[in-house]
Amino acid sequence: MSVPETSPKLDFIREIIADDLVFGKHSTTITRFPPEPNGYLHIGHAKSICLNFGIALENAGIGAKCHLRFDDTNPEKEETEYVESIKADVKWLGFDWGSDLYFASDYFQFFHDCAVHLIREGKAYIEQQSAEEMRVCRGNLNTPGTPSPGRSRSVEENLTLFARMKAGDFKEGACVLRAKIDLASSNMNLRDPVLYRIMHAHHHNTGNAWCIYPMYDFAHPLEDALEHITHSLCTLEFENHRPLYDWFIENCPVPSKPRQIEFARLNLSYTIMSKRKLLELVQGGHVGGWNDPRLPTISGLRRRGYPPAAVVHFCKRVGITKFNGTTDVALLEFDVRDFLNHSAPRRMAVLDPVKVVLTNWAAEPLTVATLANHPQQPEMGEREIPISNEVWIEREDFMEIPEKKFYRLGPDRHVRLKGGHIIRCNGFDKDPNGNIALIHAEILPGTVGADSPAGIECKAAIHWVDVATGLDAEVRIYDRLFTVEDPDSAEGGFMSVLNPDSLKTITAKIEPSLATVDPGFSCQFDRTGYFVADAIDHQPGVKPVFNRTVALRDSWVKKGAR
Ligand code: ATP
Ligand code: MG
């Protein structure tokens, strides 16, 4: 099965951009991806990255660019660790900001100057009411706001007070700077929003140079305008902030006039996307860190073994619309399987081993079995795997009393060991608990690489690992992190619907070649799924550790409403 091609039809944002170019509104297009460095990026951000950097790439011929801008205007939540992880994630997805790397904190002086400009124009004033008083005086949808005494203060007085705010004369919360727009506006965002607040905090870039910090709504349009962004693409929740965005662009001394366009954010079933909630999972120890393979973070997906091309393809396929919805995570898994099916070499590993002893091995001892590295791609070559008289097979490949349509091993039945002999089971031992402990079988000489002899029914080939040369590996089997489709709306909160079985660690048997692969090596374990050597814990030749990227089939569908 292959993934349907993405439609060549332009989405509404690309249509707007194409029109602006045709009508000469701009000679090129400049977009930006503006993360706040207060957490790791998740797959929702990947959608925004693919959109913004994608548009730049598509228009590279006319000099289009996409800026990577860290929106680091809030000193309290930001850390350089996040800056580095964000850069690594954007690169991993295959995008390049070139020399266009910016930090909003480099514009603090400009924001300040714009604020002073607004004060001089009589369009901003110092507010000394408490946050609670301001909230009450702002009114509501049925009642216009009421002006506070500060609103009629003189320009001179406002300038002095603002200078004192900046100089650190006031405690946090003592006053703020507000825009003077419209207290009766039906859009609450226009009812004299706060522009600046006092925060006596150390900033990762500017240190202690500032103790007043701009609000996001004020800073963002100014950042865009300073960087000559043509189209500022954001998610739908900013739609009713757009009049405010435009007001700042109209009323501040900015060098360009960017246009804000909103699109629907990506939501995925069975997961959560808010950085605040992801941080809660990380800090609470519910997962192993920001790059835990169960998280929808880009670093989690990477460690899980998702190919970046599959993530990018998925983001394109989801498309850009104005309608919020939830995308089935199975769609993402489908893309991951599809990409890995083409690119991942095949290897053998037995996840739930039971031993088979081949009682007549001496009749035709084989020393190596030869297997293709990919069933459809001969250019990926072959490999030789040692084999001897004892092999591990998957417990589920044997049935004491075979069901209808079970074509694998059972008493007096035949099955082929991939790349090796057809074998016939002629007995088994059980342990005291009644589980199969050992299977006795014999090889059918002359069947390596040959059809089954007349009168022998052998419809299946199973994977195996040689007991003498196979190795133990730690294998991590991941399942969905939450048991319900929409964890955010769970009655007891998202923490109440964590899946207790989201991680199972097992000891599997692996073919010898797997022990020495590099961290990040991705392959299919024949018949079980796609696996990747863990980027952090896998030690080649010392301690093999593999993560299951995705099972071969969507087992969740079968499990149904669990
Ligand atoms: P979160 O809500 O997860 O904390 P955020 O919006 O606060 O995310 P930012 O760092 O501000 O995170 O996001 C950077 C960019 O990524 C913004 O332009 C934002 O609109 C976009 N973005 C964030 N989440 C999504 C999403 N789920 N789908 C699409 N774009 C998103
Ligand atoms: Mg944000």
PDB file of all heavy atoms in Angstrom, residues 284-305:
ATOM      1  N   GLY A 284       6.760  15.349  36.340  1.00  0.00           N
ATOM      2  CA  GLY A 284       6.138  14.396  37.262  1.00  0.00           C
ATOM      3  C   GLY A 284       6.734  13.003  37.133  1.00  0.00           C
ATOM      4  O   GLY A 284       6.301  12.071  37.825  1.00  0.00           O
ATOM      5  N   GLY A 285       7.671  12.824  36.199  1.00  0.00           N
ATOM      6  CA  GLY A 285       8.295  11.515  36.035  1.00  0.00           C
ATOM      7  C   GLY A 285       7.377  10.475  35.384  1.00  0.00           C
ATOM      8  O   GLY A 285       7.641   9.278  35.454  1.00  0.00           O
ATOM      9  N   HIS A 286       6.310  10.927  34.739  1.00  0.00           N
ATOM     10  CA  HIS A 286       5.396   9.979  34.085  1.00  0.00           C
ATOM     11  C   HIS A 286       5.978   9.447  32.788  1.00  0.00           C
ATOM     12  O   HIS A 286       5.527   8.442  32.247  1.00  0.00           O
ATOM     13  CB  HIS A 286       4.043  10.635  33.821  1.00  0.00           C
ATOM     14  CG  HIS A 286       3.415  11.155  35.072  1.00  0.00           C
ATOM     15  ND1 HIS A 286       2.785  10.324  35.964  1.00  0.00           N
ATOM     16  CD2 HIS A 286       3.362  12.400  35.603  1.00  0.00           C
ATOM     17  CE1 HIS A 286       2.357  11.037  36.986  1.00  0.00           C
ATOM     18  NE2 HIS A 286       2.698  12.309  36.804  1.00  0.00           N
ATOM     19  N   VAL A 287       6.953  10.172  32.253  1.00  0.00           N
ATOM     20  CA  VAL A 287       7.688   9.722  31.072  1.00  0.00           C
ATOM     21  C   VAL A 287       9.166   9.953  31.374  1.00  0.00           C
ATOM     22  O   VAL A 287       9.516  10.603  32.357  1.00  0.00           O
ATOM     23  CB  VAL A 287       7.277  10.520  29.802  1.00  0.00           C
ATOM     24  CG1 VAL A 287       5.849  10.213  29.393  1.00  0.00           C
ATOM     25  CG2 VAL A 287       7.477  12.017  30.008  1.00  0.00           C
ATOM     26  N   GLY A 288      10.012   9.437  30.488  1.00  0.00           N
ATOM     27  CA  GLY A 288      11.442   9.487  30.777  1.00  0.00           C
ATOM     28  C   GLY A 288      12.138  10.786  30.430  1.00  0.00           C
ATOM     29  O   GLY A 288      13.349  10.887  30.561  1.00  0.00           O
ATOM     30  N   GLY A 289      11.411  11.775  29.974  1.00  0.00           N
ATOM     31  CA  GLY A 289      12.027  13.052  29.582  1.00  0.00           C
ATOM     32  C   GLY A 289      11.304  13.587  28.356  1.00  0.00           C
ATOM     33  O   GLY A 289      10.383  12.952  27.838  1.00  0.00           O
ATOM     34  N   TRP A 290      11.724  14.772  27.912  1.00  0.00           N
ATOM     35  CA  TRP A 290      11.071  15.395  26.745  1.00  0.00           C
ATOM     36  C   TRP A 290      11.170  14.525  25.501  1.00  0.00           C
ATOM     37  O   TRP A 290      10.373  14.625  24.584  1.00  0.00           O
ATOM     38  CB  TRP A 290      11.724  16.744  26.440  1.00  0.00           C
ATOM     39  CG  TRP A 290      11.286  17.864  27.331  1.00  0.00           C
ATOM     40  CD1 TRP A 290      11.984  18.381  28.374  1.00  0.00           C
ATOM     41  CD2 TRP A 290      10.076  18.625  27.246  1.00  0.00           C
ATOM     42  NE1 TRP A 290      11.278  19.414  28.947  1.00  0.00           N
ATOM     43  CE2 TRP A 290      10.110  19.582  28.272  1.00  0.00           C
ATOM     44  CE3 TRP A 290       8.957  18.587  26.392  1.00  0.00           C
ATOM     45  CZ2 TRP A 290       9.085  20.507  28.473  1.00  0.00           C
ATOM     46  CZ3 TRP A 290       7.926  19.497  26.590  1.00  0.00           C
ATOM     47  CH2 TRP A 290       7.997  20.432  27.624  1.00  0.00           C
ATOM     48  N   ASN A 291      12.236  13.681  25.453  1.00  0.00           N
ATOM     49  CA  ASN A 291      12.420  12.860  24.254  1.00  0.00           C
ATOM     50  C   ASN A 291      11.925  11.430  24.474  1.00  0.00           C
ATOM     51  O   ASN A 291      12.334  10.514  23.776  1.00  0.00           O
ATOM     52  CB  ASN A 291      13.890  12.869  23.820  1.00  0.00           C
ATOM     53  CG  ASN A 291      14.794  12.301  24.896  1.00  0.00           C
ATOM     54  OD1 ASN A 291      14.326  11.968  25.987  1.00  0.00           O
ATOM     55  ND2 ASN A 291      16.071  12.179  24.598  1.00  0.00           N
ATOM     56  N   ASP A 292      11.044  11.245  25.431  1.00  0.00           N
ATOM     57  CA  ASP A 292      10.463   9.922  25.622  1.00  0.00           C
ATOM     58  C   ASP A 292       9.703   9.535  24.348  1.00  0.00           C
ATOM     59  O   ASP A 292       8.914  10.318  23.839  1.00  0.00           O
ATOM     60  CB  ASP A 292       9.501   9.945  26.823  1.00  0.00           C
ATOM     61  CG  ASP A 292       9.024   8.553  27.176  1.00  0.00           C
ATOM     62  OD1 ASP A 292       8.308   7.936  26.352  1.00  0.00           O
ATOM     63  OD2 ASP A 292       9.353   8.065  28.274  1.00  0.00           O
ATOM     64  N   PRO A 293       9.965   8.329  23.833  1.00  0.00           N
ATOM     65  CA  PRO A 293       9.344   7.940  22.553  1.00  0.00           C
ATOM     66  C   PRO A 293       7.814   7.878  22.572  1.00  0.00           C
ATOM     67  O   PRO A 293       7.204   7.744  21.522  1.00  0.00           O
ATOM     68  CB  PRO A 293       9.942   6.558  22.280  1.00  0.00           C
ATOM     69  CG  PRO A 293      11.233   6.551  23.026  1.00  0.00           C
ATOM     70  CD  PRO A 293      10.966   7.358  24.270  1.00  0.00           C
ATOM     71  N   ARG A 294       7.208   7.989  23.738  1.00  0.00           N
ATOM     72  CA  ARG A 294       5.733   7.988  23.767  1.00  0.00           C
ATOM     73  C   ARG A 294       5.159   9.369  23.593  1.00  0.00           C
ATOM     74  O   ARG A 294       3.960   9.543  23.405  1.00  0.00           O
ATOM     75  CB  ARG A 294       5.239   7.424  25.103  1.00  0.00           C
ATOM     76  CG  ARG A 294       5.501   5.942  25.251  1.00  0.00           C
ATOM     77  CD  ARG A 294       5.321   5.502  26.686  1.00  0.00           C
ATOM     78  NE  ARG A 294       6.393   6.024  27.556  1.00  0.00           N
ATOM     79  CZ  ARG A 294       6.484   5.778  28.836  1.00  0.00           C
ATOM     80  NH1 ARG A 294       5.572   5.041  29.426  1.00  0.00           N
ATOM     81  NH2 ARG A 294       7.488   6.282  29.544  1.00  0.00           N
ATOM     82  N   LEU A 295       5.996  10.405  23.699  1.00  0.00           N
ATOM     83  CA  LEU A 295       5.503  11.774  23.609  1.00  0.00           C
ATOM     84  C   LEU A 295       5.389  12.211  22.149  1.00  0.00           C
ATOM     85  O   LEU A 295       6.127  11.725  21.295  1.00  0.00           O
ATOM     86  CB  LEU A 295       6.442  12.727  24.347  1.00  0.00           C
ATOM     87  CG  LEU A 295       6.475  12.629  25.867  1.00  0.00           C
ATOM     88  CD1 LEU A 295       7.442  13.660  26.444  1.00  0.00           C
ATOM     89  CD2 LEU A 295       5.079  12.815  26.457  1.00  0.00           C
ATOM     90  N   PRO A 296       4.492  13.174  21.879  1.00  0.00           N
ATOM     91  CA  PRO A 296       4.393  13.681  20.508  1.00  0.00           C
ATOM     92  C   PRO A 296       5.442  14.752  20.215  1.00  0.00           C
ATOM     93  O   PRO A 296       5.341  15.471  19.233  1.00  0.00           O
ATOM     94  CB  PRO A 296       2.979  14.286  20.483  1.00  0.00           C
ATOM     95  CG  PRO A 296       2.780  14.779  21.881  1.00  0.00           C
ATOM     96  CD  PRO A 296       3.482  13.782  22.777  1.00  0.00           C
ATOM     97  N   THR A 297       6.438  14.868  21.096  1.00  0.00           N
ATOM     98  CA  THR A 297       7.493  15.849  20.830  1.00  0.00           C
ATOM     99  C   THR A 297       8.319  15.369  19.632  1.00  0.00           C
ATOM    100  O   THR A 297       8.433  14.164  19.384  1.00  0.00           O
ATOM    101  CB  THR A 297       8.444  15.974  22.034  1.00  0.00           C
ATOM    102  OG1 THR A 297       8.895  14.662  22.395  1.00  0.00           O
ATOM    103  CG2 THR A 297       7.762  16.620  23.219  1.00  0.00           C
ATOM    104  N   ILE A 298       8.904  16.331  18.929  1.00  0.00           N
ATOM    105  CA  ILE A 298       9.699  15.957  17.763  1.00  0.00           C
ATOM    106  C   ILE A 298      10.886  15.101  18.207  1.00  0.00           C
ATOM    107  O   ILE A 298      11.228  14.112  17.565  1.00  0.00           O
ATOM    108  CB  ILE A 298      10.126  17.215  16.980  1.00  0.00           C
ATOM    109  CG1 ILE A 298       8.848  17.896  16.426  1.00  0.00           C
ATOM    110  CG2 ILE A 298      11.072  16.862  15.836  1.00  0.00           C
ATOM    111  CD1 ILE A 298       9.078  19.146  15.649  1.00  0.00           C
ATOM    112  N   SER A 299      11.479  15.447  19.349  1.00  0.00           N
ATOM    113  CA  SER A 299      12.608  14.631  19.819  1.00  0.00           C
ATOM    114  C   SER A 299      12.143  13.242  20.261  1.00  0.00           C
ATOM    115  O   SER A 299      12.904  12.276  20.174  1.00  0.00           O
ATOM    116  CB  SER A 299      13.370  15.345  20.936  1.00  0.00           C
ATOM    117  OG  SER A 299      12.476  15.778  21.920  1.00  0.00           O
ATOM    118  N   GLY A 300      10.904  13.137  20.718  1.00  0.00           N
ATOM    119  CA  GLY A 300      10.338  11.824  21.056  1.00  0.00           C
ATOM    120  C   GLY A 300      10.112  10.988  19.797  1.00  0.00           C
ATOM    121  O   GLY A 300      10.438   9.802  19.765  1.00  0.00           O
ATOM    122  N   LEU A 301       9.564  11.627  18.766  1.00  0.00           N
ATOM    123  CA  LEU A 301       9.318  10.912  17.507  1.00  0.00           C
ATOM    124  C   LEU A 301      10.641  10.434  16.898  1.00  0.00           C
ATOM    125  O   LEU A 301      10.737   9.342  16.355  1.00  0.00           O
ATOM    126  CB  LEU A 301       8.592  11.814  16.495  1.00  0.00           C
ATOM    127  CG  LEU A 301       7.254  12.419  16.928  1.00  0.00           C
ATOM    128  CD1 LEU A 301       6.654  13.245  15.789  1.00  0.00           C
ATOM    129  CD2 LEU A 301       6.271  11.353  17.368  1.00  0.00           C
ATOM    130  N   ARG A 302      11.655  11.307  17.018  1.00  0.00           N
ATOM    131  CA  ARG A 302      12.981  10.956  16.475  1.00  0.00           C
ATOM    132  C   ARG A 302      13.526   9.723  17.198  1.00  0.00           C
ATOM    133  O   ARG A 302      13.986   8.777  16.591  1.00  0.00           O
ATOM    134  CB  ARG A 302      13.921  12.149  16.657  1.00  0.00           C
ATOM    135  CG  ARG A 302      15.353  11.877  16.258  1.00  0.00           C
ATOM    136  CD  ARG A 302      16.139  13.163  16.073  1.00  0.00           C
ATOM    137  NE  ARG A 302      16.270  13.951  17.272  1.00  0.00           N
ATOM    138  CZ  ARG A 302      15.927  15.235  17.398  1.00  0.00           C
ATOM    139  NH1 ARG A 302      15.426  15.899  16.382  1.00  0.00           N
ATOM    140  NH2 ARG A 302      16.074  15.866  18.541  1.00  0.00           N
ATOM    141  N   ARG A 303      13.451   9.751  18.523  1.00  0.00           N
ATOM    142  CA  ARG A 303      13.971   8.626  19.315  1.00  0.00           C
ATOM    143  C   ARG A 303      13.133   7.368  19.083  1.00  0.00           C
ATOM    144  O   ARG A 303      13.619   6.241  19.200  1.00  0.00           O
ATOM    145  CB  ARG A 303      13.958   9.016  20.790  1.00  0.00           C
ATOM    146  CG  ARG A 303      14.785   8.090  21.618  1.00  0.00           C
ATOM    147  CD  ARG A 303      15.005   8.628  23.004  1.00  0.00           C
ATOM    148  NE  ARG A 303      15.586   7.601  23.852  1.00  0.00           N
ATOM    149  CZ  ARG A 303      15.601   7.643  25.162  1.00  0.00           C
ATOM    150  NH1 ARG A 303      15.085   8.674  25.791  1.00  0.00           N
ATOM    151  NH2 ARG A 303      16.131   6.660  25.852  1.00  0.00           N
ATOM    152  N   ARG A 304      11.890   7.568  18.739  1.00  0.00           N
ATOM    153  CA  ARG A 304      10.997   6.446  18.453  1.00  0.00           C
ATOM    154  C   ARG A 304      11.327   5.804  17.107  1.00  0.00           C
ATOM    155  O   ARG A 304      10.890   4.699  16.814  1.00  0.00           O
ATOM    156  CB  ARG A 304       9.565   6.992  18.440  1.00  0.00           C
ATOM    157  CG  ARG A 304       8.470   6.007  18.121  1.00  0.00           C
ATOM    158  CD  ARG A 304       7.942   5.369  19.384  1.00  0.00           C
ATOM    159  NE  ARG A 304       6.841   4.473  19.091  1.00  0.00           N
ATOM    160  CZ  ARG A 304       5.614   4.597  19.594  1.00  0.00           C
ATOM    161  NH1 ARG A 304       5.343   5.576  20.418  1.00  0.00           N
ATOM    162  NH2 ARG A 304       4.665   3.741  19.295  1.00  0.00           N
ATOM    163  N   GLY A 305      12.087   6.534  16.279  1.00  0.00           N
ATOM    164  CA  GLY A 305      12.473   5.985  14.978  1.00  0.00           C
ATOM    165  C   GLY A 305      11.596   6.443  13.827  1.00  0.00           C
ATOM    166  O   GLY A 305      11.650   5.874  12.742  1.00  0.00           O
TER     167      GLY A 305
END
